Amino acid sequence: MNTRNLVDLSGPAANAALTEDSILVLPTGAIEHHGPHLPLSTDYLMADQIGRAVVETAAAAGRDVWLLPSLAYTKSDEHHWAPGTVWLTWDTLMQTVVDIGRSVAATPAKTLVFYNGHGGNIALLQVALRELRRRFGLRTFLMGASITAGDGIDGPDERGFGIHGGHSETSMILHLRPDLVDLSLAERWVPDHMADLEHIKFNGGPVSFGWLSNDFGPSGVIGDATGATAEWGATLFERAVANGVAALTEIAGFRHQP
């Protein structure tokens, strides 16, 4: 059978196809509010479609890689206030990925990769990597599409805050599912008052902070989607696939000890 979807195989066929070197990829998205201009499925679409393209491209290049069905419902409680968001508590999601890891460990495959499309999952999945390593001996990895803020050259200047419903995410969905985007409803929602802070940052600063998406405005958007284009989305998609394939190449040869 010409497929890289593991669940298309029968149980015996999957057991025969997988080896200790096989890599299983699990896309993790989210169903959550993304402002009035984007669908609730934004993060799910990115994880599912980019993850699939990464697996298929890597397999065509000879990698022993297989795709698991994507997780749609994950940790999206920063958007709990917005109707349409469907979220799991942190402990429910942790137990879910642990149970999935236990099931993977029952196959010949020993490598599990999360391909993540939702920033709210990152911290939890990083903890899960070690939990799955300790409990089941799996080689575990986390990667995903890099959503960069507009810098005034590639899109409007989002001052580093284009993390949710902004230029890059909107451009990506314009590429993947333009029928689901309404740019006429896009607005700029960038917390400019925070941009010059030295210590307190969203990502990468010495001081992090707790937040909900409506802390920065009633739209729940953090970014500026007004200049989004399908062309930029296609560029981001191609970069994400190329980076994902390169990462899987390293993962395929990675061992904790030489």
Side-chain angles (χ1 to χ4, degrees):
M1 186 180 294
N2 185 22
T3 181
R4 281 289 144 176
N5 296 318
L6 189 68
V7 297
D8 288 344
L9 304 179
S10 69
N15 191 61
L18 297 176
T19 72
E20 185 175 344
D21 294 324
S22 298
I23 300 169
L24 302 189
V25 176
L26 174 62
T28 53
I31 303 299
E32 63 180 29
H33 177 72
H34 270 79
H37 60 294
L38 287 176
L40 296 166
S41 59
T42 291
D43 290 351
Y44 175 79
L45 284 169
M46 290 192 298
D48 182 71
Q49 296 198 28
I50 302 172
R52 179 175 302 278
V54 167
V55 167
E56 291 176 348
T57 305
R63 296 297 166 199
D64 182 9
V65 56
W66 298 83
L67 187 69
L68 293 171
S70 302
L71 281 181
Y73 308 121
T74 58
K75 187 181 178 297
S76 299
D77 52 328
E78 66 269 39
H79 312 290
H80 76 282
W81 58 272
T85 299
V86 182
W87 58 279
L88 304 180
T89 60
W90 69 268
D91 49 338
T92 298
L93 180 57
M94 178 63 77
Q95 191 58 56
T96 297
V97 297
V98 166
D99 287 348
I100 291 171
R102 183 188 61 220
S103 301
V104 168
T107 76
K110 299 304 176 191
T111 302
L112 176 62
V113 177
F114 296 104
Y115 192 89
N116 184 54
H118 168 52
N121 290 333
I122 292 174
L124 183 143
L125 290 176
Q126 287 173 332
V127 174
L129 297 182
R130 179 168 291 151
E131 187 75 5
L132 295 170
R133 176 69 184 156
R134 177 180 62 83
R135 292 178 63 170
F136 309 119
L138 295 171
R139 291 183 290 270
T140 51
F141 302 88
L142 170 63
M143 64 179 189
S146 177
I147 299 301
T148 56
D151 59 6
I153 300 173
D154 291 321
D157 186 1
E158 296 176 301
R159 307 194 71 185
F161 290 104
I163 67 165
H164 184 72
H167 176 63
S168 290
E169 280 195 328
T170 304
S171 294
M172 186 74 80
I173 303 304
L174 279 170
H175 170 62
L176 296 174
R177 288 293 304 274
D179 57 306
L180 301 181
V181 181
D182 187 349
L183 274 184
S184 71
L185 299 176
E187 298 181 83
R188 178 179 175 87
W189 288 97
V190 173
D192 290 304
H193 67 289
M194 296 174 54
D196 296 324
L197 296 178
E198 180 180 355
H199 299 284
I200 303 173
K201 302 288 185 182
F202 262 123
N203 298 303
V207 179
S208 57
F209 63 99
W211 56 271
L212 305 174
S213 59
N214 62 342
D215 284 338
F216 310 100
S219 76
V221 171
I222 309 169
D224 184 352
T226 58
T229 67
E231 291 74 19
W232 182 239
T235 297
L236 292 175
F237 181 86
E238 292 167 3
R239 288 180 183 175
V241 172
N243 289 337
V245 172
L248 285 179
T249 298
E250 284 196 4
I251 288 170
F254 178 86
R255 297 295 182 270
H256 293 86
Q257 297 183 30

